[in-house]
Amino acid sequence: MSKVVSEEDLALLVKSGLNEEDTRHSILVARKALELAERTGLQLDMQLVARGALFHDLGKALTHSYQHGELGAEIGRSLGLPKAITDIARKHFHGGLTPGEARALDLPPVDYTPRLLEERIILYADRLVDILTEGFFTFQDEREAEARFEEIVTTHRAYGKDKLTSARYVEYHREIAALIERAKAPDASGGALRGGGADSPETPRGTENGTN
């Protein structure tokens, strides 16, 4: 695992009360998110990627319902985690709810849109890890899962959930896949570019799917 996932954070994750399965999932999401972030070639906030991914499911220590995002943020605050980390716990459910979607679930009617690229990488990694580990599909390697991601979230309700949610995940997939492809190009200058880290301006999502 990348050195930016610290032993102290792993201990804090166990202290939160997450069960073994959810702890393993969180570690896998952190690994996948760090890998994706590195492959973009951008200068991203890798601490935010690692910690945000590791602590995204804190709320599952209390419930596996749609409320686990808000509850996870509360647990994170009680553990002394910074707002940038607890925000990811709040936002990750269904890829970042609109105020209308949140209201329908009796959650605070706010915009849960992940504005930072680091946040979107975590949400994409979260869904990828689900697809890779839950046993419904067979892949030769993880890159095949990435290649089939759009197909899976748009045709399998277990992963796409609904039209708004699947559209968000497709948007993240396309954005991150394009960044990775650009980084592969011989003249790519991705290493000199900034991402949307905690100390950087926010990077808004596109609005073509009407999910802002």
Side-chain angles (χ1 to χ4, degrees):
M1 186 184 299
S2 172
K3 62 183 179 181
V4 295
V5 177
S6 69
E7 292 300 321
E8 291 81 2
D9 278 349
L10 290 173
L12 201 58
L13 190 67
V14 173
K15 180 182 177 181
S16 74
L18 274 187
N19 65 33
E20 184 176 345
E21 181 180 355
D22 291 330
T23 297
R24 178 177 179 274
H25 169 79
S26 298
I27 292 170
L28 290 175
V29 173
R31 287 174 172 165
K32 174 54 70 174
L34 285 166
E35 176 209 317
L36 291 167
E38 289 169 359
R39 285 164 58 199
T40 68
L42 300 176
Q43 295 178 15
L44 299 173
D45 184 340
M46 301 302 272
Q47 285 284 354
L48 178 60
V49 172
R51 302 190 83 205
L54 193 67
F55 293 116
H56 80 281
D57 264 346
L58 277 178
K60 289 187 175 179
L62 298 177
T63 180
H64 281 67
S65 77
Y66 59 85
Q67 296 173 322
H68 79 269
E70 285 288 342
L71 291 172
E74 292 179 15
I75 294 172
R77 286 191 291 270
S78 74
L79 293 173
L81 295 176
K83 184 176 184 296
I85 305 301
T86 61
D87 278 352
I88 292 167
R90 287 183 67 245
K91 293 176 179 181
H92 83 279
F93 180 72
H94 278 207
L97 300 170
T98 64
E101 290 174 291
R103 187 180 297 109
L105 292 171
D106 201 27
L107 294 171
V110 298
D111 187 359
Y112 292 81
T113 298
R115 300 289 179 179
L116 302 179
L117 176 57
E118 287 89 341
E119 294 174 329
R120 298 194 291 278
I121 287 173
I122 291 167
L123 270 58
Y124 176 47
D126 185 25
R127 185 55 75 228
L128 262 176
V129 168
D130 288 338
I131 290 170
L132 282 162
T133 61
E134 290 181 349
F136 293 107
F137 306 96
T138 301
F139 306 105
Q140 292 199 1
D141 53 36
E142 294 189 6
R143 302 299 171 87
E144 184 185 351
E146 292 175 26
R148 292 184 57 195
F149 183 87
E150 186 168 340
E151 166 216 331
I152 291 169
V153 298
T154 56
T155 59
H156 296 268
R157 187 175 177 82
Y159 299 103
K161 305 303 181 183
D162 53 58
K163 287 185 178 180
L164 284 175
T165 301
S166 63
R168 285 190 286 267
Y169 283 123
V170 167
E171 185 179 335
Y172 306 153
H173 163 71
R174 290 179 178 177
E175 176 188 21
I176 295 161
L179 290 171
I180 290 170
E181 283 302 309
R182 186 176 70 179
K184 292 178 184 177
D187 61 345
S189 57
L193 300 176
R194 279 289 302 172
D199 298 322
S200 313
E202 291 186 342
T203 307
R205 288 193 327 188
T207 58
E208 62 269 26
N209 290 316
T211 54
N212 271 350

